[in-house]
């Protein structure tokens, strides 16, 4: 009975988190189920030193929903795959003009653009992170976002 009471108490939070990630009505039940599974995991792994239980539950449920969205998105295509195998909507990438490259670059945030340019010059994540005073994980995330955005623009 105590577990059901606890779940009932956190159900509004779980519904709120699920609505953030699932806008389609037919997906909401699946999203809520994933959020509840995140809740179960959070209850099992919660450590008082991590902060509030509410925040931890919301974070774990959100991560579970993000993972679900990634799985549903299907196989990822890396930018290099797009350039090497299929070309781009701009024609041969080697022949793309400056206006085409500028049009692609404006889709990136400043951080994504700088990280991607340095990566193309062959700099490692560690070097980029140190130069930009960012964590290695932040650089990796910026590169992933840049590749995803450019991959969409080129396909």
């Amino acid at each position: 009975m105590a577990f059901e009471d606890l779940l009932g108490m956190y159900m509004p939070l779980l519904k709120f988190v699920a609505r953030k990630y699932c806008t389609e009505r037919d997906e909401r039940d699946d999203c809520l189920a994933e959020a509840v599974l995140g809740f179960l995991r959070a209850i099992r792994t919660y450590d008082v030193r991590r902060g509030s239980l509410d925040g931890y539950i919301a974070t774990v449920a959100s991560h579970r929903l993000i993972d679900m969205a990634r799985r549903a998105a299907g196989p990822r295509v890396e930018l290099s795959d797009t350039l090497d195998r299929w070309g781009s909507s701009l024609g041969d990438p080697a022949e793309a003009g400056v206006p085409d490259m500028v049009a692609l670059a404006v889709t990136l945030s400043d951080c994504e653009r700088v990280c991607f340019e340095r990566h193309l010059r062959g700099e490692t994540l560690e070097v980029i992170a140190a130069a930009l005073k960012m964590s290695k994980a932040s650089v990796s995330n910026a590169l992933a976002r840049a590749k995803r955005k450019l991959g969409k623009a080129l396909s």
Side-chain angles (χ1 to χ4, degrees):
M1 184 68 174
F3 172 75
E4 291 158 356
D5 292 340
L6 189 62
L7 180 58
M9 197 168 78
Y10 282 98
M11 191 55 76
L13 174 64
L14 297 173
K15 286 180 180 180
F16 173 77
V17 171
R19 275 194 303 267
K20 281 181 21 181
Y21 293 95
C22 298
T23 56
E24 301 296 321
R25 287 195 182 275
D26 55 336
E27 294 177 347
R28 287 192 182 149
D29 288 340
D30 292 338
C31 288
L32 185 56
E34 288 293 326
V36 169
L37 290 172
F39 168 79
L40 294 172
R41 180 169 185 264
I43 294 299
R44 283 194 328 269
T45 60
Y46 177 66
D47 182 351
V48 176
R49 294 172 288 184
R50 290 188 170 174
S52 77
L53 179 60
D54 293 4
Y56 186 66
I57 288 171
T59 299
V60 173
S62 293
H63 288 179
R64 185 152 186 115
L65 288 163
I66 290 167
D67 289 344
M68 181 186 88
R70 285 181 181 149
R71 285 190 309 269
R76 293 179 53 188
V77 176
E78 291 293 325
L79 178 61
S80 59
D81 294 338
T82 303
L83 293 175
D84 294 341
R85 285 193 270 150
W86 300 295
S88 76
S89 61
L90 300 174
D92 182 357
E95 296 175 8
V98 172
D100 294 330
M101 292 298 114
V102 170
L104 288 176
V106 298
T107 66
L108 303 179
S109 71
D110 290 340
C111 176
E112 293 164 349
R113 186 179 36 62
V114 170
C115 289
F116 193 69
E117 287 171 355
R118 287 176 170 264
H119 178 69
L120 289 177
R121 287 194 294 252
E123 293 181 18
T124 65
L125 291 178
E126 292 84 5
V127 170
I128 297 169
L132 300 178
K133 295 180 176 53
M134 297 171 62
S135 71
K136 192 171 134 182
S138 294
V139 171
S140 179
N141 288 336
L143 286 172
R145 286 191 310 270
K147 287 178 181 180
R148 187 172 52 248
K149 288 178 181 179
L150 292 173
K152 284 181 184 177
L154 291 172
S155 61

